Each structure stands twice: as C-alpha cells, then as structure tokens.
Amino acid sequence: MTQDLAPSVRQAVRPAQQAEGWWRSAVIYQVYVRSFADSDGDGIGDLRGIRERLPYLAGLGVDALWLTPFYASPQADGGYDVADYRAVDPLFGQLSDADDLVREAHRLGLRIIVDIVPNHTSDQHVWFQAALADRREGTARERYHFRPGRGEGGELPPNDWESVFGGPAWTRITEPDGTPGDWYLHLFAPEQPDLNWDNPEVREEFTSVLRFWLDLGVDGFRIDVAHGMVKAPGLPDIGRTEQAKLIGAQVLPFFDQDGVHEIHRAWRQLLDSYDGQRIGVAEAWAPTSERLALYVRPDELHQAFNFQFLTCDWDAPAMRDVIDQSLAATQSVGAPTTWVLSNHDVVRHTTRYGGDDAELGLRRARAAALLMLALPGSAYVYQGEELGLPEVTDLPDEVRQDPAFFRGDGQDGTRDGCRVPIPWEGEEAPYGFGPGGSWLPQPAAWAGLSVAAQAGDPRSMLELYRSALALRRDLPGLGDGEMRWLDAPEGVLAFSRPGFVCTINTGGDEAAMPVPGRPVLASAALAISIPEGRSTGGTVRLPSDCCVWWAV
Ligand code: GLC
C-alpha cells in the first residue's frame, strides 16, 4: 500500500474550525524568506519570489505562512537585527511587495504571520545610534540597557551574563569624545542591543509597529524571543558560565521573567481589537511545559512553539511523555498544543533522526510527519521538510553567515546548514530557486529532491505531505480535539481520535499488532494479513520507523 490512497483535492477549511478559532487546528508553513524563492536573480530569496510560489503552498494544503523577518536590516543575524520595523529591506523588495503578498495569499485562502523582533533592535536602528551619540541621563540610552563597567576603570562588564551566541553579553562603547564609555547589553550578537522594556516609549513604539502591520492586513505575529524582553531587577550575576543556549531549559535572570506576561496581555488586547482572528505565537523557551503554558493563557498569546517535541529523541516512551506533558500543560489553560520538528535555528530533523544514515533519517522523518499531523492541535512545517531535505553539513567556512559560527563558544553555530535555498526544479543549482545563483551553495544531490522531481511520485516525501494535509482537512477527527492512547507492542505508539487511529513503530524491528481499522495513509509499504473470508480484523506487521493512519 502506498500513500496515493488519499484524496488530492484541497478542501475548504471546515466551518467548525473557523468558529473555534482557525489557529487551533492550523498547519503553518515557515518561509525562511532569504531561502525560499528569488525573483530578481541576486541569489537571495524575496517577497515577490514568495508571491509567485503561493500556488504551490496553497496546493500543498497548509493554512498559513510564517515569514521570517524581511525588515530593513544590516543582516548581522539573518534579519533578526531590525533597523526599521516599518520598512522592507531592499534585499527582499519594498513595502508594496509585502502588501501584494498579503493580498494574494488571502485570495488563495492562506493567512500570513510575520515575525516581530521586540527583544532587541539592530545597532543601526536610529534609537541605538542616538543612544551612542548622547550619554546624558534620562535620554536615548534609557531605551536600552547601558551600565558603567566594573573594575577601577570600568574595564569589566557590568555582570557575568553570556551572549547566546558566545562571549560576554556586554559590549563597551567608545563615547563621542573618544574615551572608553559605558557597556550595553546584548543577549545575542553585539549588533543586537537589548531594548529596555521598562521604558514606556519602547512599549508604545511596539504597539505602533504591530498596528502598522495589522493595518496592512497580516493575520498575526511570531514573537521572537518572547520570553526575553524583561530582565530580573538589578541585572544580578548568575555566578557560573555555560549559561544560555537558544535551546535550553535553564532558569536564568534574563529569560522567562514573570514581567513578560504583562506585555503579552497588552498585545492580546491589541490583536483582539482587530477583526479576523489575528494571532500571536510565542517563540519562548521555558524551563518546563507548565511555565510555557503561561504564555498561552486565555488573555495572552494564542500559541507557543513546542520545542520539547522538537528536541525529543526517536524513542516511543520519551515521545509519549512529551506528548502527554505538552497536552496536559496547554489543556490546563485551554490553548491548543503545537507540534514542530524543524526550523531555521536547528539541524533539520531528517539528519537529527538519521545521523549519517540518510535512508534511516528519511524513513523516520516520513513517520514523524504523520505522527505530528495526527496529534491534537496545530502544526508547523519548515520549508523543505516536505521535500525531505537533509541538513547541509559540509558548507565551506567562507560561505557561512550565522553569527553564532563566528562567535564560536556559544550556540552550536551550525544554523546555516538548515538555511540552504530550497530546490524547485532542474538538474543544476540553483534548481529554480531564482534566475541567479543562491547565497549558500546547494548540494548536487538536491536535483532529485526538487519539487518538480517529487511531484506526482506517490513514493515521494512531497506527495506524502500533500496526502496527509488533504486527509487532515477531510477527517473530522484530526486537528484540535482529544486523543486516547491504545495498547501497543513495545516501541509502538498507538492512539485514537474520533473515527481515526494512528500507529507509529519507532523500534528497530517489525512489530505485529491487530489491524485497528482501514489504512488510509502510511509512511512505508505495509503488509496486512486478513483472515480468509473476512473483511476486517487480522494482523498488521508494522515496519520499523513507520507510521500509519487508519480510519475506523
Ligand atoms: C530567535 C530566532 C533566531 C535569532 C534569535 C535572535 O531565536 O529564531 O534565528 O538568531 O532569535 O533574534
């Protein structure tokens, strides 16, 4: 059996889903703007490129897109260093392209979520430039965290905080008169000074920025570092090194402080004052699922990324625990759970699951996709995962751009490998990415992984995603709702949803179990033996690393 059992026609969103809140069941596709599609041949993806490829995304069957930052930026951290929150960077187009993109997406039934970066600005932002120029108290510096250094001549950083990208989280400036001056805080690169959210002007400015994009018609925001805006009073020392990684669960004085919730509550009110169910999604790292759930209380944001699921090993009991914890935590506040396997900051899951064994990685990635899309709630798909793209692990150092790579001892510094432009068609790089080259080199093997190479091939990853997304719209039991665990052999997870059962074998060996229903989609070929003269019952031998959807 192969996955061509599924209907291929894209159905409209179910009315019930609409009434409950579209995001509760939505599948949201992450577009890493510089690597999706390039319309002008400069080798960097852009907004017009995305607009031209919207029919592909509508046909894939996702509900919404999340666009990574395309604002005016010196690109010290792939655009997460914003110099002007209301302007489109010329690399990606102009404001009218953003407007056209939103309108065209809506025409095709797709919603658009944009990234907002409130924890820090670029060092080229007018506010930071003004702060450098004017050291008087009560002025521009109070929009950021400026402090005198420690030590006799102020030559030591104000505290022991480390940057997520490595090295101290403080940089000393030179005053306009040429003397060494105060230090400023940057949890990320020195080009990304942290804003001081105790300053009312900062809060007002972001309300205005959010309004700007809401007025343009966007359906919501992915909030970058949503757990970082508020710092512990007095900026206390931590007393140890090896502090913050982007992916982490440590308790730290600069992450997950209670004060951030007040900001999110105010933003929720703003979102609710617009029609059309605009949403806020938290990129928040919290020490526990319970702490994370606080971000999605009824009067706060709508969703938070479930990084616990992303970081879980390929192991049935561990996955079951994470699923249970995630569901319990979000249910306690009435929010939908989200599921995510990859994004632009982590090693692609095909490679995480398979290591050097590409075939194993692909098999598991196929199974993981069906698992994720069968679980209750909303799911995120990172561009290229629907093509089964692996991490590019052999990028030469000269082409790398991730600031973490250059700052060595911080976050692993390998984020360029998941950001390589995706292949659309053709035998040679840039595989239809654009009329020019591509800002990171694409592997030769990607000809076989392009959209054109996979389209119509029932065994391909792309057709598996298309079928799964079409079925997810058709089967009323999927999306938001309940699930119940079923008995299953060791290494297998089985759960039911109304009219539906999902089984996944994460073990290294085939596992036999009673046939739970009629198979509608499988990540690998299945052998089912049904006793002669009967149409139901029998035994299924679930291959290793295989997930199956059953209608019951
Ligand atoms: C978020 C982004 C990451 C960026 C960081 C700093 O974690 O996903 O790409 O480097 O914030 O803005």
Side-chain angles (χ1 to χ4, degrees), residues 377-550:
S378 168
Y380 280 80
V381 172
Y382 176 48
Q383 67 176 39
E385 84 175 55
E386 82 278 21
L387 304 175
L389 295 188
E391 182 80 2
V392 179
T393 52
D394 58 356
L395 286 172
D397 290 355
E398 318 79 86
V399 304
R400 287 175 181 275
Q401 303 214 6
D402 181 2
F405 176 74
F406 300 101
R407 291 175 63 84
D409 54 340
Q411 174 73 18
D412 51 25
T414 55
R415 298 184 303 168
D416 288 315
C418 62
R419 298 175 178 180
V420 174
I422 63 171
W424 291 93
E425 69 220 355
E427 296 307 312
E428 274 171 34
Y431 307 114
F433 168 64
S438 75
W439 68 279
L440 286 174
Q442 300 153 300
W446 281 19
L449 293 176
S450 74
V451 171
Q454 298 195 37
D457 175 356
R459 293 156 310 167
S460 72
M461 186 68 129
L462 177 58
E463 293 302 337
L464 181 73
Y465 268 81
R466 282 184 176 156
S467 300
L469 291 168
L471 270 173
R472 196 180 142 101
R473 286 169 187 268
D474 273 2
L475 298 173
L478 293 188
D480 194 23
E482 303 282 308
M483 67 169 271
R484 199 163 51 82
W485 292 110
L486 304 174
D487 288 340
E490 204 186 314
V492 175
L493 294 180
F495 58 90
S496 72
R497 312 214 42 200
F500 177 90
V501 165
C502 177
T503 55
I504 179 168
N505 179 8
T506 65
D509 299 314
E510 195 177 76
M513 64 181 290
V515 169
R518 180 173 59 82
V520 286
L521 190 60
S523 69
L526 269 193
I528 301 179
S529 37
I530 297 176
E532 227 168 292
R534 293 184 43 192
S535 60
T536 56
T539 302
V540 55
R541 296 199 306 281
L542 275 180
S544 142
D545 303 320
C546 171
C547 184
V548 187
W549 286 8
W550 310 85

Side-chain angles (χ1 to χ4, degrees), residues 150-443:
R150 293 198 275 204
E152 237 164 70
E155 69 285 359
L156 298 172
N159 72 17
D160 67 358
W161 295 2
E162 292 172 352
S163 149
V164 172
F165 293 155
W170 296 90
T171 291
R172 191 173 197 184
I173 65 159
T174 303
E175 297 296 350
D177 64 6
T179 57
D182 282 347
W183 298 68
Y184 68 90
L185 176 69
H186 53 87
L187 294 182
F188 295 88
E191 296 88 347
Q192 294 166 296
D194 278 52
L195 285 163
N196 172 15
W197 275 82
D198 287 333
N199 184 327
E201 237 188 303
V202 171
R203 295 186 185 226
E204 281 157 27
E205 170 63 0
F206 273 87
T207 304
S208 157
V209 168
L210 295 181
R211 279 191 186 284
F212 179 86
W213 292 102
L214 289 167
D215 290 342
L216 189 128
V218 305
D219 300 283
F221 300 97
R222 177 263 189 194
I223 299 154
D224 189 63
V225 198
H227 57 313
M229 285 107 97
V230 173
K231 278 76 181 171
L235 313 184
D237 274 337
I238 294 171
R240 60 183 153 80
T241 52
E242 293 284 303
Q243 297 159 5
K245 299 285 180 277
L246 209 51
I247 300 179
Q250 301 176 53
V251 176
L252 294 160
F254 45 77
F255 281 160
D256 194 36
Q257 298 294 305
D258 291 337
V260 293
H261 295 289
E262 195 193 312
I263 301 168
H264 298 316
R265 271 194 286 273
W267 287 10
R268 176 60 180 259
Q269 284 179 11
L270 178 65
L271 292 167
D272 284 349
S273 72
Y274 280 77
D275 61 359
Q277 301 187 341
R278 321 283 178 109
I279 69 164
V281 184
E283 186 225 14
W285 294 90
T288 61
S289 303
E290 291 73 28
R291 290 284 309 177
L292 187 63
L294 299 179
Y295 291 81
V296 289
R297 285 177 287 190
D299 60 346
E300 294 199 33
L301 301 174
H302 297 75
Q303 293 186 341
F305 293 110
N306 182 353
F307 293 123
Q308 248 102 9
F309 183 67
L310 184 152
T311 49
C312 184
D313 286 340
W314 189 256
D315 170 65
M319 286 164 144
R320 183 171 166 155
D321 275 356
V322 166
I323 292 168
D324 279 341
Q325 277 171 31
S326 313
L327 290 170
T330 48
Q331 275 162 10
S332 72
V333 293
T337 316
T338 65
W339 310 100
V340 57
L341 293 166
S342 277
N343 65 35
H344 65 292
D345 291 328
V346 300
V347 171
R348 282 187 178 276
H349 61 273
T350 312
T351 303
R352 285 202 323 266
Y353 289 146
D356 292 337
D357 186 341
E359 240 171 73
L360 175 72
L362 195 60
R363 218 164 53 229
R364 289 183 173 175
R366 290 174 65 90
L370 293 196
L371 170 66
M372 168 172 90
L373 293 171
L375 289 168
S378 168
Y380 280 80
V381 172
Y382 176 48
Q383 67 176 39
E385 84 175 55
E386 82 278 21
L387 304 175
L389 295 188
E391 182 80 2
V392 179
T393 52
D394 58 356
L395 286 172
D397 290 355
E398 318 79 86
V399 304
R400 287 175 181 275
Q401 303 214 6
D402 181 2
F405 176 74
F406 300 101
R407 291 175 63 84
D409 54 340
Q411 174 73 18
D412 51 25
T414 55
R415 298 184 303 168
D416 288 315
C418 62
R419 298 175 178 180
V420 174
I422 63 171
W424 291 93
E425 69 220 355
E427 296 307 312
E428 274 171 34
Y431 307 114
F433 168 64
S438 75
W439 68 279
L440 286 174
Q442 300 153 300

